[in-house]
């Protein structure tokens, strides 16, 4: 577990604090409101038109990791069906994407591949399904690894259930799967949150 | 020569009534609003804009709070206060910074206070370590303004007489209730069986189009969302648009007030604000009105030092920022499973759009063995919030607190999200004012303009939790009687930041209050405060109607002070 320990140790306290917002189990962090109000805001990000490519890292690895996180298993849409990678690429291409978080997502791919090479002598994507799954469970036992997977899931949920105008959830596929009736009016492209 | 008759800082429920009332009376009014000016055409049912990004509130790296919780182990088995900037915790304490303020995003559950809320100390006596004070005015003095709000803001419902109902000068509301959800009748039935008296809750929502505002479109996305039709009686839609139509009200958005400037005699002479381009401006007015919501109003006073006010404007008593109150209580829920229901029954239960509009005030005042004669509170019922992303996210953590993914996650997600309708309840009871709940200036953290941010100590009184638990049990009984499953709930001392008041309480004694009974600063003759800051005690209902009513009342006092308009 030396690699994992090193990964854990390399994370600054500031980053862990920042990530708390995305990974926390503690409900109060989502803000406590009453009179039917909902949870509070997350740090702002601005999306641009997605350029969907997984030829390069970190996307080659993240694509496969997300196949594990939200698989094509016949039960509703998969990460690929909801354009999850394109959504994340759009999120990460923005000017005010948090730099530390951006780095963390990239770093996670590096550490995962280092660990794959150390234990199996191959990059993560070259491994068998079961080997990959085992590695993901292994990294999830460390705080850094769990944070990294949790951040990827955070964006998968947005790609699954945010308005299709943001690039995920094509034709409301995520909403239909979870029998969600969206409200109206829905935002047009010119009224996406970062244009307001 | 002053630039304006009145300058109002803040455009929410405290600012809107003053802007409308004064401009209609012929006075020239300037409204300075820190946030942007959104209109109906900017409001969509978009969870990203509403609730996941800082669109209607500042980015925390630009503007934040420092919150003090009593949860740091002191090494001796006890606890001590720990201050945490919200940019680190992610615990956003903003509520809507835009023209219309947080009233733009309210759910519009509208309740009046009751006569005994104005005399809590006299009616129920002191509670140890609580700074309870009677109000310097009575319910009767505010009643005409509660009635005025019903037509000016637009309140819909039917007035229901009950054991603790407050007196009304008009027979019924000017607008009929909004359409109700089939679950409302089930609540009524369960309450009847239990001997409780379910009430139809008035809403600041127009059921039909009138006065240039469209009626409710029943999208089912109300609380936390800006209203796309104008049916919701936020300050902008209901009041400020009409103020602007008088041509005597100017609203400047993106105008962040730095400080209020006094002369050597202690009279306010200027307000200094930074505009969208970063330019610092000064404007003068005969009267200055603060309505920035409780925390920011106290902060602005504390920031506005002067020769006569070395500790902050109107603060020679040291009372500014003190006795901040929230709404105590808690919330809970119960599920109604779809399994075994016919398709039609399921559709009825799932229906999205109509409102529940039900509450209970059977225990607004209590007289029992546990508490003796005591102040209780209000229970509200509402369907679970429609936001789906935040709800789905809960499924990524398993019962063992470990991350869940893959087919297990998808199975849990689909089963959990499609199995049941959820009915929530909320309990509102008095957040007793104490020495441990107040606003001060943080000595380290500053906003993007270099001004110290508000530090808020979030202490609560244990009595609040006892009352909250008592009421929560009643709410849970209703859910159980309705046949709900998975009934759960919690009562905590964690404050709901959207229900905040106090900090500049009004009173007759300048040594123990900031404002006089007209909400004029004891120490500054041309300064008024019209948001919820004036409240010495908060009552056991959401504050908005009372803030609106009091702001209309104070507007009349300001008109008297300004004198007749030529």
């Amino acid at each position: 577990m030396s690699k994992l320990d090193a990964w854990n140790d390399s994370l600054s306290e500031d980053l862990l604090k920042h990530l708390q917002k995305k990974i926390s189990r503690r409900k109060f962090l989502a803000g406590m409101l009453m009179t039917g109000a909902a949870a509070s805001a997350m740090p702002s990000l601005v999306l641009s038109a997605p350029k969907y490519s997984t030829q390069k890292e970190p996307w080659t690895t993240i694509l496969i990791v997300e196949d594990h996180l939200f698989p094509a298993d016949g039960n509703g849409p998969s990460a690929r069906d909801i354009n999850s990678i394109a959504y994340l690429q759009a999120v990460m291409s923005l000017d005010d994407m948090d730099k530390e978080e951006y780095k963390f997502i990239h770093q996670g791919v590096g550490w995962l591949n280092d660990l794959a090479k150390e234990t199996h002598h191959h990059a993560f994507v070259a491994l068998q399904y079961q080997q990959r799954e085992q590695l993901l469970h292994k990294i999830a036992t460390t705080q850094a690894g769990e944070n990294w997977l949790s951040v990827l899931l955070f964006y998968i949920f947005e790609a699954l259930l945010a308005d299709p105008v943001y690039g995920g959830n094509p034709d409301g596929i995520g909403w239909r799967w979870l029998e969600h009736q969206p409200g109206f009016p829905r935002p047009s492209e010119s009224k996406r949150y970062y244009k307001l | 020569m002053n630039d304006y008759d009145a300058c109002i800082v803040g455009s929410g429920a405290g600012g809107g009534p003053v802007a409308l009332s004064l401009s209609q009376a012929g006075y020239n009014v300037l409204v300075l609003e820190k946030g942007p000016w959104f209109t109906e055409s900017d409001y969509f049912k978009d969870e990203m804009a509403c609730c996941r990004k800082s669109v209607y509130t500042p980015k925390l790296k630009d503007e934040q709070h420092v919150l003090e919780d009593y949860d740091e182990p002191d090494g001796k088995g006890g606890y001590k206060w720990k201050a945490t900037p919200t940019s680190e915790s992610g615990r956003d304490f903003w509520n809507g910074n835009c023209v219309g303020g947080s009233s733009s995003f309210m759910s519009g559950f509208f309740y009046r206070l009751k006569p005994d809320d104005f005399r809590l100390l006299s009616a129920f006596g002191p509670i140890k370590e609580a700074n309870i004070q009677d109000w310097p005015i009575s319910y009767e003095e505010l009643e005409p303004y509660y009635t005025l709000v019903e037509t000016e803001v637009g309140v819909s419902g039917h007035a229901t007489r009950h054991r603790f109902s407050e007196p009304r000068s008009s027979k019924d509301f000017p607008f009929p209730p909004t359409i109700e959800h089939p679950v409302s009748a089930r609540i009524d039935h369960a309450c009847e069986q239990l001997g409780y008296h379910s009430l139809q809750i008035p809403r600041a929502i127009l059921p039909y189009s009138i006065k240039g505002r469209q009626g409710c479109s029943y999208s089912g996305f109300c609380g936390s969302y800006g209203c796309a039709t104008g049916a919701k009686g936020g300050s902008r839609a209901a009041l400020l648009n009409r103020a602007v139509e008088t041509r005597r009200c100017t609203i400047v958005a993106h105008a962040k007030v730095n400080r209020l400037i006094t002369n050597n005699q202690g009279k306010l002479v200027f307000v200094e604000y930074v505009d969208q381009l970063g330019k610092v401006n000064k404007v003068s007015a005969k009267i200055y009105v603060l309505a920035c919501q409780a925390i920011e109003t106290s902060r602005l006073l504390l920031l506005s030092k002067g020769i006569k006010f070395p500790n902050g404007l109107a603060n020679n008593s040291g009372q500014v920022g003190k006795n901040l109150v929230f709404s105590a209580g808690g919330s809970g829920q119960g599920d109604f499973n779809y399994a075994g229901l016919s398709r039609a029954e399921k559709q009825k239960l799932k229906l999205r759009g109509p409102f529940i509009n039900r509450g209970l005030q059977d225990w607004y005042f209590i007289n029992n063995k546990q508490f003796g004669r005591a102040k209780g509170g209000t229970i509200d019922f509402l369907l679970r919030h429609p936001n789906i992303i935040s709800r789905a996210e809960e499924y990524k953590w398993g019962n063992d607190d470990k991350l869940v993914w893959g087919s297990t996650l998808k199975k849990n997600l689909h089963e959990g999200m499609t199995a049941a309708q959820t009915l929530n309840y909320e309990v509102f009871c008095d957040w007793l004012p104490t020495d441990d709940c107040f606003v001060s200036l943080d000595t380290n953290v500053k906003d993007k303009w270099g001004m110290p941010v508000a530090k808020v100590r979030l202490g609560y009184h244990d009595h609040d939790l006892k009352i909250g638990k008592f009421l929560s049990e009643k709410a849970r009984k209703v859910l159980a009687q309705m046949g709900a499953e998975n009934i759960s709930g919690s009562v905590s001392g964690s404050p709901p930041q959207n229900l905040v008041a106090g900090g500049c309480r009004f009173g007759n004694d300048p040594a123990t209050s900031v404002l006089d009974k007209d909400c004029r600063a004891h120490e500054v003759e041309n300064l008024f405060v019209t948001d919820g800051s004036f409240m010495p005690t908060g009552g056991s209902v959401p504050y908005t109607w009372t803030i609106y009513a009091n702001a209309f009342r104070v507007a009349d006092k300001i008109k008297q002070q300004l004198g007749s308009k030529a």
Side-chain angles (χ1 to χ4, degrees):
Chain A
M1 293 292 278
S2 60
K3 290 274 181 198
L4 285 177
D5 290 342
W7 187 12
N8 243 354
D9 291 346
S10 73
L11 296 177
S12 72
E13 260 196 36
D14 275 357
L15 176 63
L16 289 176
K17 272 181 188 164
H18 171 81
L19 292 171
Q20 278 294 325
K21 297 169 210 162
K22 295 214 162 113
I23 60 176
S24 179
R25 301 161 177 83
R26 295 174 67 186
K27 274 204 164 176
F28 87 84
L29 287 173
M32 183 186 165
L33 295 107
M34 289 176 74
T35 68
S40 66
M42 294 290 176
S44 179
L45 304 163
V46 181
L47 300 184
S48 63
K51 293 180 197 118
Y52 191 167
S53 164
T54 54
Q55 299 298 305
K56 285 186 191 163
E57 288 294 14
W59 303 109
T60 318
T61 299
I62 291 178
L63 177 75
I64 302 304
V65 171
E66 293 204 346
D67 284 344
H68 286 256
L69 297 183
F70 218 74
D73 60 359
N75 179 13
S78 65
R80 295 188 191 218
D81 294 334
I82 59 175
N83 297 338
S84 178
I85 294 293
Y87 182 84
L88 183 57
Q89 286 180 346
V91 166
M92 288 179 65
S93 69
L94 298 174
D95 288 349
D96 61 350
M97 167 80 190
D98 182 84
K99 287 186 181 62
E100 289 296 314
E101 188 185 340
Y102 181 95
K103 218 166 96 186
F104 176 68
I105 292 173
H106 278 264
Q107 273 178 338
V109 169
W111 287 109
L112 182 63
N113 278 315
D114 283 352
L115 186 68
K117 283 170 194 162
E118 188 182 86
T119 54
H120 297 90
H121 308 291
H122 289 290
F124 180 79
V125 297
L127 303 181
Q128 301 293 315
Y129 178 88
Q130 276 311 326
Q131 292 172 321
R132 295 196 303 256
E133 186 70 13
Q134 273 170 12
L135 276 188
L136 293 179
H137 280 282
K138 202 167 180 179
I139 68 165
T141 60
T142 67
Q143 192 190 355
E146 188 184 64
N147 287 0
W148 186 71
L149 293 169
S150 184
V151 166
L152 293 181
L153 280 167
F154 177 94
Y155 291 112
I156 287 175
F157 282 119
E158 287 191 351
L160 177 72
L161 296 167
D163 195 285
V165 76
Y166 292 106
N169 189 15
D171 298 323
I173 189 174
W175 289 342
R176 284 200 306 279
W177 178 49
L178 297 183
E179 300 175 18
H180 172 73
Q181 181 184 318
F184 54 85
R186 285 175 39 202
S188 59
E189 285 203 2
S190 66
K191 295 286 188 179
R192 284 176 285 185
Y193 71 82
Y194 48 85
K195 303 247 180 188
L196 293 173
Chain B
M1 183 70 187
N2 288 299
D3 300 322
Y4 295 91
D5 292 313
C7 173
I8 303 168
V9 185
S11 63
V18 183
L20 178 64
S21 187
L22 295 190
S23 60
Q24 282 181 335
Y27 299 103
N28 289 316
V29 178
L30 174 69
V31 178
L32 298 174
E33 166 54 54
K34 188 178 71 169
W37 194 337
F38 297 119
T39 69
E40 279 74 20
S41 65
D42 296 311
Y43 289 135
F44 298 89
K45 306 309 177 186
D46 177 4
E47 187 173 343
M48 298 300 285
C50 138
C51 307
R52 294 178 74 78
K53 306 294 174 184
S54 298
V55 177
Y56 311 130
T57 52
K59 294 185 171 109
L60 294 179
K61 69 179 169 58
D62 294 335
E63 298 175 67
Q64 58 179 313
H65 299 91
V66 174
L67 303 178
E68 284 189 290
D69 291 297
Y70 197 65
D71 62 0
E72 173 94 334
D74 64 0
K76 301 171 206 157
Y79 293 94
K80 60 182 181 181
W81 293 101
K82 186 189 178 192
T84 311
T86 56
S87 63
E88 286 181 14
S89 66
R91 187 179 176 187
D92 195 328
F93 230 58
W94 294 112
N95 292 307
N97 283 203
C98 59
V99 173
S102 60
S103 67
S104 311
F105 310 104
M106 66 181 179
S107 303
F109 294 122
F110 259 36
Y111 291 91
R112 300 177 178 210
L113 295 181
K114 300 182 191 302
D116 274 351
D117 282 317
F118 291 65
R119 47 183 190 234
L120 208 55
L121 185 62
S122 315
F124 298 97
I127 292 175
K128 204 179 165 200
E129 292 177 4
N131 306 327
I132 306 170
Q133 258 191 7
D134 287 351
W135 290 27
I137 62 168
S138 66
Y139 175 80
E140 287 67 32
E141 286 168 83
L142 198 56
E143 200 285 333
Y145 297 98
Y146 275 127
T147 301
L148 183 69
V149 169
E150 291 181 4
T151 48
E152 291 294 302
V153 172
V155 184
S156 57
H158 275 313
T160 318
R161 297 298 304 167
H162 62 96
R163 195 173 154 208
F164 298 129
S165 54
E166 62 282 352
R168 295 177 51 89
S169 59
S170 62
K171 193 161 172 278
D172 209 346
F173 291 94
F175 302 99
T178 48
I179 298 171
E180 289 178 352
H181 196 278
V183 165
S184 302
R186 291 179 63 178
I187 297 173
D188 292 341
H189 184 62
C191 287
E192 206 178 311
Q193 289 173 319
L194 291 166
Y196 302 166
H197 305 89
S198 63
L199 305 174
Q200 193 175 42
I201 303 312
R203 301 293 285 255
I205 296 171
L206 293 178
Y208 48 75
S209 303
I210 188 169
K211 293 182 180 175
R213 293 161 58 192
Q214 290 176 51
C216 181
S217 62
Y218 298 100
S219 159
F221 287 67
C222 192
S224 297
Y225 282 86
C227 183
T229 67
K232 192 191 288 188
S235 169
R236 180 193 55 82
L239 307 174
L240 290 172
N241 285 348
R242 290 156 60 205
V244 170
E245 280 169 16
T246 68
R247 300 186 180 200
R248 286 184 290 273
C249 176
T250 304
I251 299 175
V252 182
H254 298 287
K256 194 267 182 177
V257 173
N258 279 336
R259 60 188 180 130
L260 303 163
I261 301 168
T262 41
N263 64 14
N264 291 346
Q265 286 72 49
K267 191 178 171 181
L268 268 175
V269 286
F270 288 110
V271 57
E272 179 189 288
Y273 72 93
V274 189
D275 64 23
Q276 196 171 10
L277 301 173
K279 188 171 161 260
V280 177
N281 305 270
K282 273 186 193 175
V283 287
S284 65
K286 291 176 191 160
I287 299 276
Y288 297 83
V289 179
L290 290 196
C292 316
Q293 202 167 52
I295 292 168
E296 294 303 304
T297 288
S298 281
R299 175 191 175 211
L300 185 52
L301 290 172
L302 293 172
L303 284 170
S304 301
K305 296 181 167 70
I307 288 173
K308 291 271 185 188
F309 303 106
N311 303 314
L313 187 60
N315 192 33
N316 288 323
S317 63
Q319 287 290 311
V320 170
K322 300 292 181 347
N323 297 305
L324 190 73
V325 295
F326 294 90
S327 177
S331 59
Q333 61 181 49
D335 290 338
F336 296 94
N337 289 320
Y338 300 135
L341 297 184
S342 70
R343 190 184 161 86
E345 285 170 330
K346 180 180 172 185
Q347 285 312 112
K348 217 168 147 181
L349 195 54
K350 276 191 78 169
L351 184 65
R352 172 160 293 162
F355 297 94
I356 293 288
N357 288 351
R358 285 297 182 278
L360 287 167
Q361 290 197 320
D362 290 38
W363 308 277
Y364 200 83
F365 302 111
I366 305 169
N367 193 353
N368 64 14
K369 270 188 194 158
Q370 186 187 357
F371 297 106
R373 266 194 83 244
K375 178 66 195 299
T378 302
I379 297 165
D380 244 353
F381 293 99
L382 64 163
L383 293 177
R384 75 168 161 236
H385 198 278
N387 273 1
I388 189 171
I389 309 176
S390 57
R391 198 175 138 222
E393 277 175 333
E394 294 172 15
Y395 289 88
K396 78 177 172 184
W397 298 110
N399 291 335
D400 56 359
D401 238 14
K402 290 212 170 77
L403 204 57
V404 177
W405 68 79
S407 292
T408 309
L409 169 66
K410 292 181 72 180
K411 181 170 171 284
N412 294 349
L413 190 60
H414 189 257
E415 284 179 3
M417 301 283 283
T418 60
Q421 174 64 283
T422 304
L423 185 64
N424 291 355
Y425 69 82
E426 294 181 334
V427 169
F428 301 87
C429 51
D430 282 61
W431 180 284
L432 292 175
T434 69
D435 289 344
D436 281 330
C437 194
F438 61 88
V439 180
S440 61
L441 296 178
D442 193 78
T443 47
N444 299 314
V445 183
K446 295 188 166 60
D447 66 18
K448 68 174 177 181
W449 297 277
M451 309 297 276
V453 306
K455 181 159 80 174
V456 190
R457 180 166 287 192
L458 298 172
Y460 60 89
H461 199 294
D462 283 337
H463 179 81
D464 304 345
L465 301 192
K466 290 177 194 158
I467 299 287
K469 281 177 186 153
F470 172 79
L471 289 164
S472 292
E473 280 166 24
K474 305 291 185 190
R476 282 203 282 273
K477 270 190 189 163
V478 176
L479 292 180
Q481 186 69 31
M482 292 174 72
E485 296 172 57
N486 305 323
I487 297 171
S488 65
S490 67
V491 173
S492 85
S494 185
Q497 73 267 20
N498 60 334
L499 299 174
V500 59
C504 299
R505 68 181 178 185
F506 72 162
N508 293 323
D509 182 359
T512 60
S513 57
V514 177
L515 308 172
D516 69 15
K517 64 181 287 193
D518 296 342
C519 290
R520 181 193 298 103
H522 284 298
E523 300 183 88
V524 190
E525 64 179 39
N526 59 342
L527 171 65
F528 290 80
V529 174
T530 59
D531 56 23
S533 302
F534 76 100
M535 299 171 79
T537 54
S540 304
V541 293
Y543 299 136
T544 317
W545 194 353
T546 299
I547 294 171
Y548 269 138
N550 185 62
F552 275 113
R553 181 184 73 90
V554 176
D556 279 352
K557 307 293 180 189
I558 294 172
K559 281 188 267 186
Q560 281 171 21
Q561 184 159 326
L562 282 169
S564 63
K565 188 71 198 170

